Amino acid sequence: MLSKRWQLCYNFNMKINGYEKFSMVDFEGKICCTVFTGGCNMRCPFCHNGALVIGDVKSGQIDDAEVMDYLKKRKGLVDAVSVTGGEATLQPDLADFLRRVKDLGYITKLDTNGLRPDVLRNLLSDGLVDYVAMDVKNSPEKYEFTTGLKSVDLDKINLSMRIIKDSGVNHEYRTTIIKEFHTAEDMMKIADWISGAKAYYMQNYKDSEGCISHGYHPIEKEVAQEFMKAFEGKVGKVGLRGYN
């Protein structure tokens, strides 16, 4: 049940562009409903959700009441709700949405690129997020190159990392690794950057119709396994995703 305080100001308008009703890969160990939001403050050319970044996100929006109705009916069958994007922290009603999800008894996960540390801090301090997955696009020196931006405020990225660490919340960092963007030297710099993290994953790149740009190449599994060595002793757990 919503608290009386939130019932009195029930005027929510979370911008949702779709949701996957049943996922076993978006939240490790949980049966998850994944909610997709539109809009992003990065322009990573390899992004596989290009329509949510540079597309007409307004025309594809659905009423968040549809998602809430689904969650009410699936209590006991679905464990968690993962909110992703685009960049979910751009949503002004994200906290309200997560609060309603928590009021239904669900565990929550947030995917973020770390450029809105103020939003992240508030969500974590209010106990609205149980798990954070933060993208680390590349080594600090190659952030603009990798994100498609003229400049990136790395102070905000660093602050988000500190907020996550200090919160004590379960978390992971992750990088989609691509031949044209990532080298062994980059991975060593990332390992130093996120030292002390609970978990880090390298994700296999797959060119798909939804990517913003095309023509990039995945890094072979054997090379990715070599990259993993840079993280030994620096993070609690290191792994690969999307590799057979």
Side-chain angles (χ1 to χ4, degrees), residues 1-175:
M1 291 291 291
L2 281 171
S3 66
K4 184 177 293 185
R5 176 166 70 93
W6 290 101
Q7 287 174 341
L8 291 173
C9 60
Y10 195 92
N11 185 25
F12 305 110
N13 191 27
M14 177 78 166
K15 304 298 189 298
I16 294 174
N17 284 76
Y19 63 108
E20 186 175 352
K21 295 181 177 180
F22 189 89
S23 171
M24 298 184 70
V25 298
D26 290 320
F27 195 159
E28 189 172 353
K30 306 294 182 185
I31 299 172
C32 175
C33 171
T34 303
V35 175
F36 297 90
T37 64
C40 190
N41 46 10
M42 289 185 177
R43 291 294 183 270
C44 307
F46 50 85
C47 177
H48 67 280
N49 281 339
L52 297 178
V53 175
I54 60 174
D56 181 9
V57 296
K58 289 186 177 180
S59 65
Q61 288 170 357
I62 63 175
D63 194 325
D64 65 359
E66 178 181 334
V67 179
M68 298 307 298
D69 288 343
Y70 169 77
L71 293 175
K72 290 173 184 176
K73 295 174 183 177
R74 293 298 182 269
K75 288 181 66 175
L77 300 176
V78 174
D79 303 316
V81 175
S82 176
V83 184
T84 186
E87 174 54 37
T89 61
L90 294 174
Q91 296 292 325
D93 294 315
L94 177 59
D96 297 330
F97 178 78
L98 290 171
R99 192 178 301 275
R100 287 182 286 156
V101 170
K102 295 285 286 183
D103 282 348
L104 290 175
Y106 286 97
I107 298 169
T108 56
K109 171 177 175 277
L110 175 69
D111 293 348
T112 184
N113 60 27
L115 273 182
R116 303 279 320 268
D118 52 338
V119 175
L120 183 60
R121 178 191 289 111
N122 290 337
L123 294 175
L124 291 172
S125 64
D126 288 346
L128 298 178
V129 177
D130 299 298
Y131 192 98
V132 178
M134 179 174 160
D135 292 326
V136 178
K137 301 297 183 177
N138 209 329
S139 58
E141 297 86 349
K142 292 172 71 172
Y143 240 73
E144 287 86 358
F145 169 64
T146 310
T147 59
L149 300 177
K150 292 182 179 179
S151 64
V152 177
D153 190 342
L154 290 177
D155 287 341
K156 291 183 177 180
I157 302 294
N158 286 318
L159 179 55
S160 288
M161 289 180 177
R162 290 199 299 272
I163 290 169
I164 292 170
K165 181 179 180 180
D166 292 345
S167 73
V169 73
N170 286 331
H171 65 271
E172 67 180 59
Y173 296 101
R174 59 196 188 179
T175 305

Side-chain angles (χ1 to χ4, degrees), residues 159-197:
L159 179 55
S160 288
M161 289 180 177
R162 290 199 299 272
I163 290 169
I164 292 170
K165 181 179 180 180
D166 292 345
S167 73
V169 73
N170 286 331
H171 65 271
E172 67 180 59
Y173 296 101
R174 59 196 188 179
T175 305
T176 299
I177 53 175
I178 303 168
K179 280 186 178 181
E180 287 77 9
F181 292 92
H182 301 95
T183 66
E185 183 180 1
D186 292 322
M187 306 315 292
M188 288 188 287
K189 290 179 178 179
I190 293 173
D192 289 336
W193 198 12
I194 67 167
S195 181

